[in-house]
Amino acid sequence: MKASGFAMTRDLPARHYLPFGIAALVLAGFSAWLGFDWQPALILAVLFVLSSAVLLTMAFRPAIEIHEECLAIGRRRILWMDIRRPDRRTSGLHILHLQWRITGSA
């Protein structure tokens, strides 16, 4: 996260997602190789592939930038005057409390 003064200007994905995702992918390959002789290792291979997919998805999400004139998410730019209000997304999972929907004029 890059900050200027007291205001955040850019939020990047965490740097550890990529190496952990690659490590999970390598461990999935190793577990699949062990699965030829010992079948329960295939369960581990599937779990490692799933965790690798989640980590690599998190690693390649776009940066969020806050400018004076707009909010930028990757290449998409949303002007502040087009945003009416941010709505908190309600879900049963409390870990997703940082998800917001931006209501704007279309």
Side-chain angles (χ1 to χ4, degrees):
M1 185 179 330
K2 188 189 266 186
S4 65
F6 291 105
M8 179 186 67
T9 58
R10 187 166 191 189
D11 181 30
L12 297 171
R15 291 179 297 195
H16 63 274
Y17 289 141
L18 184 60
F20 287 171
I22 292 171
L25 198 58
V26 168
L27 288 171
F30 179 70
S31 296
W33 178 70
L34 286 178
F36 289 125
D37 293 330
W38 188 55
Q39 297 297 322
L42 293 176
I43 296 170
L44 291 175
V46 170
L47 293 175
F48 277 129
V49 165
L50 291 175
S51 62
S52 174
V54 169
L55 287 168
L56 292 175
T57 301
M58 294 291 288
F60 293 113
R61 65 188 168 111
I64 299 171
E65 299 177 7
I66 300 174
H67 301 282
E68 288 187 26
E69 66 277 354
C70 67
L71 173 70
I73 303 172
R75 293 184 193 150
R76 184 176 175 197
R77 305 267 188 256
I78 304 169
L79 296 175
W80 288 115
M81 63 184 194
D82 293 338
I83 298 174
R84 283 190 284 174
R85 67 180 186 272
D87 299 325
R88 185 184 293 231
R89 194 179 261 183
T90 57
S91 66
L93 299 174
H94 296 290
I95 60 172
L96 300 176
H97 67 279
L98 293 177
Q99 291 186 356
W100 291 75
R101 185 181 65 211
I102 298 174
T103 304
S105 56

